Amino acid sequence: MAQSPRYLQIKQYLNDKIQSRTWPPGFRIPTEIELSEQFSVSRMTANKAIRDLVKDGLLERTPRLGTFVCQKKAESPLMEIRNIAAEVKNRGHAYATQVISQSTVKANDDIALQLGVRHGTNVYFTQIVHYENDTPIQLEERWVNPDFAPDYIEQDFTQQTPNEYLVQTCPLSDIEHTVEAILPAKRISDLLKMRTGSPCLLLNRRTWSEKNLVSSALLYHPGDKYKLSSRSRV
């Protein structure tokens, strides 16, 4: 280590702090000036060590605020529907949920179009935040056609996820996905505990059981904590 370039020594020091979780996700690391003084090097040398770790996805820079340890991104398969609670537990982490809203609402034009019902039809609506190790990783807003899942609104979604209930009640036959990166409205960023101006991934999902369009959902994920993946055979 003593023979390695100084910037690599600094990089190793920072990496050790991150991997040992001495500096947990979200921790603000020392500034370039502080590191240059600590290691008796130029600010440029400290900057190179930090830039390498930013490139490696371990650190992220926030203008005017500093450099922070990245949250490890949770990952879900794009072309499959999995129970988010099971995903979190399979990663060895703690899962929790918060039900924000669970009610019957009148379908507006957008929801009527998404669910294939008439404007003003009564539909079920749930708004739920899903957590991994006390960190919100998904805000789920879901509309369900009562004709195909009449008991949906009566479920305790602190004990099972909407996905888990619907898969059991209405076996999945088809799914439709669209994904986009957006700047979320304040109500969404507040529920996901995101910094103002941070992007999120929005997954718009519709599901069918046989020929019945059962559910339409908007799934919001903090862009710095979550990623969606897809794999196909050619």
Side-chain angles (χ1 to χ4, degrees):
M1 183 71 174
Q3 302 301 317
S4 62
R6 296 291 281 163
Y7 89 90
L8 286 179
Q9 295 181 37
I10 299 171
K11 180 180 177 180
Q12 186 62 54
Y13 166 79
L14 298 175
N15 187 63
D16 288 347
K17 293 288 189 182
I18 295 169
Q19 298 303 330
S20 68
R21 296 186 70 85
T22 302
W23 294 347
F27 181 85
R28 182 181 180 277
I29 73 166
T31 65
E32 291 175 7
I33 293 176
E34 291 169 337
L35 288 171
S36 64
E37 292 176 351
Q38 179 179 346
F39 287 88
S40 300
V41 297
S42 68
R43 183 172 176 179
M44 184 181 301
T45 300
N47 175 271
K48 179 170 176 53
I50 291 173
R51 281 191 289 111
D52 279 6
L53 291 174
V54 170
K55 187 183 299 184
D56 292 343
L58 296 177
L59 296 175
E60 61 178 342
R61 295 181 184 271
T62 302
R64 297 183 297 278
L65 293 179
T67 303
F68 299 84
V69 177
C70 282
Q71 300 276 357
K72 184 176 181 180
K73 293 187 178 183
E75 181 175 359
S76 289
L78 177 58
M79 299 310 295
E80 300 176 36
I81 292 184
R82 293 184 182 174
N83 180 9
I84 191 170
E87 283 188 14
V88 171
K89 292 173 183 176
N90 286 342
R91 289 192 284 268
H93 296 164
Y95 170 78
T97 187
Q98 179 185 11
V99 178
I100 306 298
S101 179
Q102 186 167 342
S103 61
T104 301
V105 299
K106 300 285 187 184
N108 60 23
D109 287 339
D110 288 340
I111 301 308
L113 180 63
Q114 288 297 308
L115 271 184
V117 298
R118 292 180 179 276
H119 175 94
T121 298
N122 284 338
V123 298
Y124 296 149
F125 172 70
T126 50
Q127 184 183 52
I128 298 172
V129 181
H130 302 279
Y131 292 81
E132 181 168 355
N133 290 342
D134 297 323
T135 298
I137 59 168
Q138 184 188 94
L139 169 63
E140 172 187 343
E141 295 184 335
R142 184 182 296 271
W143 294 264
V144 173
N145 189 328
D147 289 346
F148 309 123
D151 296 329
Y152 178 86
I153 203 64
E154 305 298 330
Q155 302 307 303
D156 181 356
F157 290 121
T158 65
Q159 299 302 310
Q160 64 177 339
T161 66
N163 167 268
E164 186 177 7
Y165 170 77
L166 288 172
V167 166
Q168 293 172 354
T169 306
C170 308
L172 180 68
S173 61
D174 294 277
I175 60 174
E176 176 186 89
H177 282 146
T178 60
V179 181
E180 57 183 319
I182 66 167
L183 288 177
K186 186 176 185 302
R187 67 176 182 84
I188 295 169
S189 58
D190 286 348
L191 287 171
L192 290 174
K193 299 181 181 178
M194 297 170 57
R195 290 194 291 270
T196 301
S198 296
C200 74
L201 291 174
L202 171 59
L203 173 60
N204 189 326
R205 173 185 290 164
R206 295 199 297 172
T207 56
W208 284 257
S209 181
E210 298 179 353
K211 295 182 179 180
N212 301 318
L213 177 49
V214 175
S215 169
S216 176
L218 297 176
L219 308 174
Y220 299 88
H221 310 84
D224 62 342
K225 300 187 184 90
Y226 212 85
K227 62 181 177 180
L228 298 164
S229 63
S230 177
R231 180 178 179 180
S232 60
R233 300 183 65 181
V234 295

